[in-house]
Amino acid sequence: MSLSINKTAESHPLTWCLREDEQPVWLDEYRRKEGYVGVEKALAMHPDEVVSLVKDAGLRGRGGAGFPTGLKWSLMPKDESMNIRYMICNADEMEPGTYKDRLLMEQMPHLLVEGMIIAAHAIKAYRGYIFLRGEYVEAAENLRKAIEEAKLAGLLGKDILGSGKDFELFVHTGAGRYICGEETALINSLEGRRANPRSKPPFPAVSGAWGKPTCVNNVESICNVPSILNRGVDWYKGLTTNGSSDCGTKLMGFSGRVNNPGLWELPMGTTAREILENYAGGMQEGLDLKTWQPGGAGTDFLLPEHLDLPMDFEHIQKAGSRLGTALAMAVDHKINMVSLVRNLEEFFARESCGWCTPCRDGLPWSVKILRAIEHGEGQPGDIETLEQLCRSLAPGHTFCAHAPGAVEPLQSAIKYFRKEFEAGISGQANNLREIRGIQPNQQ
Amino acid sequence: MNQPIKIVTVSDDSDDFVLSDADAQAIEHEKHHYEDPRAASIEALKIVQKRHGWVPDGAIKAISDLLGIPASDVEGVATFYSQIYRQPVGKHIIRYCDSVVCHITGFEEIVTELEKQLKIKPGQTTPDGRFTLLPTCCLGNCDKGPTMMVNDDTHVRLVPSNLANILEQYQ
Ligand SMILES: Cc1cc2nc3c(=O)[nH]c(=O)nc-3n(C[C@H](O)[C@H](O)[C@H](O)COP(=O)(O)O)c2cc1C
Ligand code: SF4
Ligand code: FES
């Protein structure tokens, strides 16, 4: 985090409390800095009012898909007899290129705890879990300590702040596998099962953990909630820039061979160029920007000409990609696209849960072809086969969004850098003959 | 695609496994955080692994008895998750990030140097049982890569020349 930026509670609701020494902000300090005011305000309101407020604020999920958070909360059953409900925080952050939730959990654990209490009140959950990836040992320690502090202060447990509301919060740590981040796979994993996604419907709001109504939200989404309660809808909507249709601030970053890779809280709508040049300090000496991914491994590549786009859900989508996690990755001109995409697809192939055939078999096949092309041993028809794979792994053909995510960098790399793929096709095709009715690759 | 990396077996003492009282208590405690004891199975495996280094067959049976679920279910979970080791591993586990940003910042050089120093390939354990070398996906340090974890410690901004110093800390 660059500390030269003047941060205030009004302009940087997620990060203004961060300490210069990068130590966690514990309860006393957090409360001195407006901490838990949001909980007090929320508990004085009817749960439905809290849901409406978050809906009106226009907060969209920060986990990658951008689903409106208030709307998700409003999908929880109205039936009061379904009184065992769960609030789950998705803290499985594992998508290559993503390093935002980690900062919030390590240094601002109470912000997440406060957001969880408010969310639980809104959706009437009696219990909550923070599903944290196993490698985040420091985050686990800090969150557990924050939960203990909050319990002792009467902010968690029975009769929170005398409101008559109860809420119990646990940290649940995972044991690897990227697919645990998919929300229904996460629920299976929480229940102690293999992390295969579940078919939807029923959606978790109706039947989630142990068959009970469940809401799953990303860490950063939940961390946005306390300040919305505290400062209101108009303030939150006014945080954006460049006429963005989205609301609030967003943790955004640039990684790769830039001068100052990092993470900053910025208004939704800040242009990618501003982040790259003003915050990340531009490309390293002697390197030119060739292409970039706007928001994680599973987002389509964009070109330098797209840098002036506002970083928000609408504009990045219009350009043919997705905002995703909004942590962008710069690819410089010395990086070969075939090797880069081979690395990406190796990740997606290794992390496939193996449930559906196109994903389980298609991804390793793409890796095989990409390795061949990388070594100049590609055969005529290989690029077309990759394109065919992109089509058969597109949304709607598989059980979850893992395979469609894997396709995005592949299809866009072929679209923009086809020449680099063609350069790896040398050999004479040795599979041009029909063998027992199996058709050869098309040329 | 469960676990592409096969860990080389060093020894097998699975028959002698006894769950310690402390571990059994820790697992009991975990059970109460959930509506159903099955949910504690992953944590139970991690508790065993913390003390034992890896999860022998005997532990699968002990956990299944304690949680009241079939041993095949515990085994199914144990083999699914990449951080549960069903075969012996070294005393220290090195997990280096091999994901895309570290590809750009040069993890390949780091692995080459680690292979040279440890004289093993990814997925293997040194003959003296000191280190196991494993690839892992993004460690969430992409702005500080290349990066690796040794046990629970995170090491960032790796350069080949400082690896010997880092390994030295793990005897
Ligand atoms: C393969 C896969 C991995 C995912 N990993 C994560 C993750 O690590 N963290 C996260 O918040 N969402 C992840 N998601 C998205 C979740 O399924 C879900 O949309 C999100 O947690 C909802 O939170 P939000 O509405 O607050 O954004 C993943 C989705 C898929 C398909
Ligand atoms: S798309 Fe892939 S990861 Fe998702 S359910 Fe199917 S096999 Fe599993
Ligand atoms: S890609 Fe290596 S830490 Fe994220």
Side-chain angles (χ1 to χ4, degrees):
Chain A
M1 275 269 153
S2 167
L3 289 158
S4 55
I5 305 159
N6 186 21
K7 290 194 278 190
T8 66
E10 285 79 19
S11 62
H12 293 75
L14 297 172
T15 59
W16 73 282
C17 302
L18 288 179
R19 295 166 54 95
E20 290 210 21
D21 62 8
E22 300 186 1
Q23 291 303 303
V25 177
W26 298 118
L27 187 63
D28 288 344
E29 183 177 356
Y30 185 65
R31 288 193 115 164
R32 279 200 305 278
K33 295 180 174 170
E34 305 185 0
Y36 290 105
V37 174
V39 163
E40 284 172 28
K41 292 199 177 168
L43 290 175
M45 292 163 70
H46 188 275
D48 294 347
E49 287 175 340
V50 179
V51 174
S52 299
L53 189 77
V54 172
K55 222 187 210 172
D56 294 344
L59 169 61
R60 292 179 65 173
R62 306 301 200 226
F67 194 85
T69 305
L71 180 60
K72 189 182 265 187
W73 292 3
S74 72
L75 298 175
M76 295 293 282
K78 300 279 170 276
D79 183 352
E80 296 284 336
S81 71
M82 298 170 90
N83 59 355
I84 298 184
R85 299 164 182 230
Y86 293 102
M87 179 66 214
I88 298 180
C89 170
N90 189 340
D92 196 51
E93 184 164 84
M94 224 184 275
E95 176 154 344
T98 313
Y99 45 95
K100 63 183 183 71
D101 298 341
R102 173 180 208 140
L103 173 93
L104 292 171
M105 293 187 287
E106 286 181 353
Q107 297 185 36
M108 296 288 299
H110 277 290
L111 183 62
L112 180 58
V113 174
E114 177 173 11
M116 284 295 280
I117 299 169
I118 299 171
H121 174 58
I123 67 157
K124 304 178 187 142
Y126 88 111
R127 239 183 205 185
Y129 297 94
I130 299 172
F131 189 104
L132 182 66
R133 71 177 290 190
E135 292 89 343
Y136 281 7
V137 272
E138 198 178 324
E141 200 176 300
N142 295 357
L143 285 168
R144 287 197 170 110
K145 180 168 166 190
I147 289 171
E148 284 313 310
E149 283 191 321
K151 267 193 212 162
L152 285 174
L155 291 157
L156 274 176
K158 293 247 173 270
D159 191 20
I160 295 172
L161 299 178
S163 64
K165 292 274 173 180
D166 307 335
F167 181 57
E168 230 184 339
L169 181 59
F170 298 101
V171 175
H172 177 102
T173 62
R177 297 310 292 271
Y178 166 67
I179 194 62
C180 294
E182 198 281 336
E183 61 184 17
T184 58
L186 183 150
I187 291 170
N188 270 337
S189 187
L190 179 72
E191 289 185 9
R193 301 172 197 280
R194 295 165 74 96
N196 296 116
R198 294 179 176 177
S199 76
K200 298 187 236 186
F203 287 91
V206 177
S207 176
W210 299 288
K212 308 296 190 316
T214 301
C215 178
V216 182
N217 277 123
N218 169 260
V219 173
E220 189 187 349
S221 314
I222 298 167
C223 287
N224 268 274
V225 172
S227 64
I228 293 175
L229 267 289
N230 199 359
R231 294 184 189 277
V233 167
D234 292 339
W235 162 80
Y236 190 76
K237 291 190 144 177
L239 285 170
T240 53
T241 184
N242 292 326
S244 170
S245 54
D246 282 310
C247 303
T249 58
K250 175 85 191 72
L251 294 179
M252 303 198 198
F254 245 103
S255 63
R257 288 194 278 194
V258 297
N259 283 310
N260 180 31
L263 181 64
W264 304 275
E265 180 181 6
L266 296 168
M268 271 286 192
T270 304
T271 67
R273 185 182 303 282
E274 192 178 340
I275 308 170
L276 175 62
E277 288 172 6
N278 299 0
Y279 292 87
M283 300 303 292
Q284 285 175 16
E285 176 95 32
L287 298 178
D288 296 325
L289 179 71
K290 172 170 165 176
T291 181
W292 56 291
Q293 276 185 311
T299 58
D300 287 89
F301 287 102
L302 291 173
L303 296 174
E305 70 199 50
H306 296 118
L307 279 179
D308 291 312
L309 287 175
M311 288 282 278
D312 63 22
F313 290 103
E314 185 193 336
H315 287 93
I316 300 295
Q317 182 149 16
K318 272 196 190 140
S321 186
R322 282 190 307 122
L323 183 67
T325 60
L327 297 192
M329 176 183 83
V331 181
D332 55 77
H333 76 283
K334 295 210 168 148
I335 301 291
N336 176 278
M337 287 310 284
V338 179
S339 306
L340 191 72
V341 173
R342 186 261 307 148
N343 174 281
L344 281 163
E345 299 309 324
E346 276 175 347
F347 161 79
F348 285 109
R350 184 170 76 197
E351 297 299 329
S352 165
C353 82
W355 191 256
C356 25
T357 316
C359 177
R360 184 191 56 229
D361 294 348
L363 291 175
W365 188 12
S366 76
V367 169
K368 213 173 130 191
I369 297 173
L370 288 164
R371 281 189 188 146
I373 298 178
E374 186 181 10
H375 293 106
E377 293 162 8
Q379 298 192 352
D382 275 355
I383 299 176
E384 290 72 17
T385 304
L386 289 174
E387 287 173 327
Q388 178 58 40
L389 274 170
C390 288
R391 283 189 291 274
S392 55
L393 295 174
H397 297 262
T398 56
F399 217 56
C400 87
H402 179 82
V407 163
E408 292 185 23
L410 178 58
Q411 68 185 17
S412 49
I414 298 176
K415 177 166 104 187
Y416 292 128
F417 301 99
R418 198 178 181 98
K419 281 209 164 60
E420 290 188 35
F421 288 79
E422 284 168 352
I425 311 276
S426 68
Q428 261 295 308
N430 58 10
N431 55 353
L432 292 176
R433 219 161 26 86
E434 179 192 306
I435 304 168
R436 293 188 194 190
I438 297 172
Q439 296 301 314
N441 290 348
Q442 297 297 311
Q443 290 235 46
Chain B
M1 295 301 298
N2 274 354
Q3 283 187 318
I5 301 301
K6 191 113 179 70
I7 295 160
V8 176
T9 307
V10 177
S11 68
D12 195 338
D13 55 359
S14 56
D15 291 341
D16 323 327
F17 185 83
V18 188
L19 197 61
S20 74
D21 287 347
D23 287 355
Q25 262 171 26
I27 296 168
E28 273 298 330
H29 177 75
E30 281 297 321
K31 264 165 63 172
H32 301 297
H33 295 175
Y34 308 96
E35 210 175 285
D36 184 308
R38 176 190 296 272
S41 60
I42 299 169
E43 192 56 35
L45 290 162
K46 290 190 353 182
I47 288 169
V48 166
Q49 186 163 285
K50 187 143 196 117
R51 197 177 298 264
H52 195 75
W54 60 287
V55 178
D57 290 345
I60 299 282
K61 180 78 178 60
I63 291 170
S64 100
D65 290 346
L66 206 61
L67 299 181
I69 58 175
S72 58
D73 288 8
V74 180
E75 177 70 2
V77 163
T79 52
F80 186 87
Y81 294 97
S82 52
Q83 284 168 37
I84 304 295
Y85 310 120
R86 281 291 277 118
Q87 285 171 311
V89 287
K91 186 169 164 205
H92 306 292
I93 298 186
I94 303 174
R95 286 175 287 171
Y96 62 89
C97 168
D98 67 353
S99 288
V100 67
V101 186
C102 292
H103 170 83
I104 292 177
T105 55
F107 85 83
E108 279 94 348
E109 265 179 65
I110 302 301
V111 181
T112 308
E113 182 63 23
L114 285 171
E115 288 176 0
K116 202 171 108 197
Q117 299 221 1
L118 301 172
K119 301 188 184 64
I120 52 171
K121 293 276 172 208
Q124 297 179 335
T125 299
T126 53
D128 62 0
R130 187 167 147 215
F131 288 109
T132 296
L133 182 63
L134 297 172
T136 188
C137 64
C138 181
L139 287 170
N141 292 319
C142 326
D143 52 342
K144 306 180 195 78
T147 174
M148 67 180 183
M149 289 183 82
V150 184
N151 306 331
D152 282 350
D153 309 333
T154 298
H155 298 274
V156 297
R157 297 189 186 92
L158 299 173
V159 285
S161 59
N162 72 5
L163 290 173
N165 284 334
I166 294 175
L167 296 180
E168 203 43 37
Q169 298 164 29
Y170 301 91
Q171 286 306 319

